Amino acid sequence: MSRTAAPAVVILLGPPGAGKGTQARMLEEDFGLVQLSTGDLLRAAVAAGTEAGKRAKALMNAGHLVPDDVVLAVLRDRMAAPDVSRGVILDGFPRTTRQAAALDGLLASAGQAVSAAISLEVDDAAMVARVAGRFTCASCGEGYHDSFKTPAHAGQCDACGSTEFKRRPDDNPETVAERLKEYHAETAPLIAHYETEGVLHRVDAMGPIAGIRAELAEVLSRAMA
Ligand code: AP5
């Protein structure tokens, strides 16, 4: 039995490269939920040159977390959009205990609660290779990897047909090491928080993408039943 009424609120926890973005996009397709990635929202703010983007840019490029007030403001704006009423997959949020408390407060004020928090469990050592090989479609944002997930037709996005791709400025080994440190210091403690709340699910995320997708589908079907 689900703890919450619709819309569902699903959290994906995991270090850089764990597959949060990859799986969130698949869960959008499988469950009709909306992916909310604070990383994507902050990168859009940086590209647009907003105040939030100016405060975030150097921190993101160095692999550090962006201040909670900046992240919360960006997320609140996005959560006010009408499509969010379909239910959300939070990809990369919350990342600190303060963000988790703010989310709990936001949901409680709307009579909601977290439906499921999924911890994607991986080996840190493998994450540098995963992140360093990542690229995305510059047009629709579909994610790929040099070795693990290449486009079906080389140089052409499977999802939208674009031939333009891009790589992130924070996807280098030094910055990934900082991002892993931040994850273990600030975000990993949230796993215990959601375990205490009775909504935590641990998923081994070291296997093939399709197998993890199937396991997540099972977990969420049960959590949202
Ligand atoms: P963000 O964009 O959230 O980055 P991240 O958490 O470091 O996570 P990644 O996007 O690197 O990894 P992912 O788990 O999504 O993996 P992916 O699916 O792409 O945040 C960036 C920065 O923004 C932060 O450092 C911080 O500065 C700031 N920020 C964001 N949110 C914040 C917050 N809430 N508070 C404060 N600051 C915040 O997969 C990686 C690659 O591996 C891909 O190429 C993929 O194809 C491949 N892959 C995926 N799964 C598999 C698999 N099972 N096997 C093989 N390859 C796989």
Side-chain angles (χ1 to χ4, degrees), residues 3 7 16 48 53 59 67 81 88 93 106 109 115 124 129 136 154 177 187 189-190 201 206:
R3 294 166 49 105
L59 290 163
V88 293
F93 180 91
L106 194 69
S109 66
S115 315
D124 277 9
T136 55
T187 310
L190 299 184
H201 304 267
M206 288 304 294

Side-chain angles (χ1 to χ4, degrees), residues 17 19-22 38 43 64 92 95 99 134 144 168 179 207:
K20 302 181 295 296
T22 302
T38 43
R43 280 184 285 279
H64 298 306
R95 246 164 155 118
Q99 291 180 17
R134 168 173 48 195
Y144 296 98
R168 279 171 39 181
R179 285 157 59 196

Side-chain angles (χ1 to χ4, degrees), residues 14-24 35 37-40 42-43 56 59-68 71 91-96 99 120 127 129-136 143-149 168 170-171 175 179 182-183 205-210 212:
K20 302 181 295 296
T22 302
Q23 295 296 336
Q35 174 195 14
S37 157
T38 43
D40 287 349
L42 290 166
R43 280 184 285 279
L59 290 163
M60 292 176 77
N61 286 345
H64 298 306
L65 292 183
V66 172
D68 291 331
V71 177
D91 159 7
F93 180 91
R95 246 164 155 118
T96 64
Q99 291 180 17
L120 297 176
M127 292 306 103
R130 270 204 200 173
V131 173
R134 168 173 48 195
F135 59 100
T136 55
Y144 296 98
H145 190 278
D146 290 329
S147 310
F148 309 129
K149 188 188 170 206
R168 279 171 39 181
D170 59 343
D171 281 352
T175 309
R179 285 157 59 196
E182 292 274 33
Y183 174 78
M206 288 304 294
I209 292 171
I212 298 162

Side-chain angles (χ1 to χ4, degrees), residues 119-122 202-207 212 215:
S119 170
L120 297 176
E121 313 243 313
V122 291
R202 294 175 192 269
V203 169
D204 179 351
M206 288 304 294
I212 298 162
E215 190 172 348

Side-chain angles (χ1 to χ4, degrees), residues 82-217:
D83 62 337
V84 163
S85 63
R86 287 172 14 215
V88 293
I89 307 158
L90 295 172
D91 159 7
F93 180 91
R95 246 164 155 118
T96 64
T97 50
R98 187 173 160 221
Q99 291 180 17
L103 176 66
D104 288 345
L106 194 69
L107 294 177
S109 66
Q112 292 176 249
V114 172
S115 315
I118 297 172
S119 170
L120 297 176
E121 313 243 313
V122 291
D123 297 335
D124 277 9
M127 292 306 103
V128 177
R130 270 204 200 173
V131 173
R134 168 173 48 195
F135 59 100
T136 55
C137 172
S139 177
C140 73
E142 182 72 10
Y144 296 98
H145 190 278
D146 290 329
S147 310
F148 309 129
K149 188 188 170 206
T150 53
H153 301 286
Q156 190 175 10
C157 176
D158 298 343
C160 74
S162 168
T163 54
E164 300 291 324
F165 295 90
K166 60 183 180 183
R167 292 182 190 259
R168 279 171 39 181
D170 59 343
D171 281 352
N172 58 73
E174 296 75 26
T175 309
V176 176
E178 283 307 313
R179 285 157 59 196
L180 280 167
K181 271 194 220 160
E182 292 274 33
Y183 174 78
H184 288 292
E186 301 289 342
T187 310
L190 299 184
I191 294 172
H193 168 72
Y194 290 114
E195 193 153 41
T196 305
E197 297 287 307
V199 292
L200 183 77
H201 304 267
R202 294 175 192 269
V203 169
D204 179 351
M206 288 304 294
I209 292 171
I212 298 162
R213 177 185 195 166
E215 190 172 348
L216 288 178

